[in-house]
């Protein structure tokens, strides 16, 4: 039986929120999806029946391997679509999320497999996030937030966390794109804003921005 649009949105939320032990709380899901707790509870009971989560009252949900795979396959459709829009249709990375939100609910597996083939099986989406393969497997990355770096460090911009179009425009305006080399010049004690060197110029990034930028050392 096909998953519904609502179920896929819940699956995607589980993918983004689950911790290293495969757990997430009803409250976290409620806030992330902006859905009332009773509705989340009802959906998670359905997910439990499908063996996607282990549901116990007053305890965090445990996402099963079956549930993890289902969630990864929804994310795969979203990230492949974003990559297709950027690479084949020349959209900016700040303009693809909303379109991908709509196309990710297409149920044709062959459609996304063909998209994957046309793109030559990319490993990462336009925002640097790994694209799950057709079996739901995903590359693990050893990335750190820019906010955790120290003065003098040289790092490479590798990915962004969940972010909106305004943030991606903010990065584009500063020519801070994926694979850009960044040197940490100064960290302000007062507000933890960070002065970075990008090529021959310097930029001051807010603490909020450095929390969303993921880098590799």
């Amino acid at each position: 039986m096909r998953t519904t649009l609502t179920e896929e949105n819940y699956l995607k939320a589980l993918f983004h929120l689950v911790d290293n032990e495969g757990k997430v709380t009803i409250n976290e899901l409620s806030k992330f999806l902006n859905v009332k707790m009773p509705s989340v509870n009802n959906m998670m009971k359905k997910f439990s029946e499908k063996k996607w989560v282990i549901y116990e009252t007053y305890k965090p949900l445990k996402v099963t391997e079956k549930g993890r795979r289902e969630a990864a396959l929804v994310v795969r459709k979203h990230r492949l679509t974003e990559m297709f829009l950027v690479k084949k249709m020349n959209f900016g990375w700040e303009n693809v999320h909303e379109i991908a939100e709509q196309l990710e609910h297409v149920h044709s597996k062959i459609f996304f497999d063909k998209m994957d083939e046309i793109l030559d099986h990319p490993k990462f989406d336009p925002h640097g996030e790994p694209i799950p393969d057709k079996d739901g497997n995903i590359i693990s990355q050893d990335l750190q937030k820019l906010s955790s770096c120290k003065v003098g460090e040289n790092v490479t911009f590798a990915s962004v966390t969940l972010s909106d179009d305004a943030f991606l425009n903010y990065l584009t305006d500063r020519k801070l794109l994926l694979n850009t080399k960044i040197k940490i010049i100064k960290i302000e004690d007062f507000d933890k804003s960070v002065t970075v060197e990008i090529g021959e110029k310097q930029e001051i990034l807010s603490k909020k921005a450095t929390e969303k930028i993921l880098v590799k050392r």
Side-chain angles (χ1 to χ4, degrees):
M1 188 174 178
R2 286 182 174 179
T3 51
T4 66
L5 184 152
T6 302
E7 286 175 334
E8 290 192 334
N9 285 337
Y10 272 91
L11 283 166
K12 196 167 59 168
L14 288 173
F15 180 91
H16 291 305
L17 294 175
V18 70
D19 65 16
N20 292 332
E21 296 180 346
K23 294 180 179 179
V24 61
T25 67
I26 295 290
N27 187 46
E28 287 173 319
L29 274 174
S30 174
K31 288 180 179 178
F32 186 87
L33 292 165
N34 195 26
V35 175
K36 293 180 179 178
M37 296 269 282
S39 296
V40 178
N41 267 305
N42 288 336
M43 182 60 77
M44 289 305 102
K45 288 174 184 176
K46 292 179 182 177
F47 274 30
S48 179
E49 291 170 3
K50 291 175 179 277
K51 311 294 186 191
W52 290 347
V53 301
I54 296 170
Y55 176 91
E56 295 181 83
T57 308
Y58 306 121
K59 288 186 179 180
L61 298 158
K62 171 74 175 177
V63 180
T64 65
E65 179 55 30
K66 183 179 180 182
R68 186 208 64 78
R69 181 178 181 277
E70 287 291 331
L73 291 177
V74 178
V75 171
R76 168 179 166 80
K77 293 190 290 182
H78 183 99
R79 293 180 178 174
L80 272 175
T81 299
E82 288 191 330
M83 200 62 172
F84 190 87
L85 291 167
V86 169
K87 291 296 184 183
K88 298 300 180 181
M89 301 185 72
N90 298 319
F91 280 81
W93 68 337
E94 72 277 13
N95 300 131
V96 296
H97 179 75
E98 206 169 303
I99 302 171
E101 285 278 298
Q102 298 170 52
L103 285 176
E104 72 187 28
H105 300 296
V106 171
H107 286 288
S108 173
K109 183 177 180 295
I110 193 171
F111 176 79
F112 292 100
D113 286 348
K114 177 59 72 173
M115 190 183 286
D116 190 25
E117 181 185 321
I118 290 170
L119 290 167
D120 196 23
H121 311 290
K123 302 297 183 187
F124 300 94
D125 76 3
H127 309 116
E129 295 181 295
I131 300 173
D133 66 19
K134 61 175 65 178
D135 296 315
N137 299 315
I138 193 164
I139 297 170
S140 77
Q141 297 189 91
D142 184 21
L143 304 180
Q144 289 80 38
K145 292 179 180 179
L146 183 59
S147 58
S148 71
C149 296
K150 296 180 172 57
V151 171
E153 278 196 88
N154 290 285
V155 296
T156 302
F157 181 19
S159 181
V160 294
T161 59
L162 287 171
S163 52
D164 55 26
D165 294 351
F167 178 58
L168 295 174
N169 280 317
Y170 170 91
L171 296 177
T172 301
D173 288 345
R174 287 156 181 77
K175 294 186 168 49
L176 192 48
L177 306 175
L178 293 186
N179 299 314
T180 299
K181 304 294 183 185
I182 301 171
K183 182 173 182 178
I184 315 303
I185 303 299
K186 182 180 180 182
I187 301 173
E188 291 290 346
D189 288 335
F190 172 64
D191 61 0
K192 300 303 178 185
S193 60
V194 179
T195 302
V196 298
E197 186 175 273
I198 308 166
E200 297 180 355
K201 65 172 186 170
Q202 292 190 359
E203 289 282 355
I204 298 174
L205 303 175
S206 68
K207 176 73 158 62
K208 185 177 181 180
T210 61
E211 285 285 312
K212 291 187 170 191
I213 295 170
L214 300 180
V215 298
K216 54 187 174 185
R217 290 183 164 98

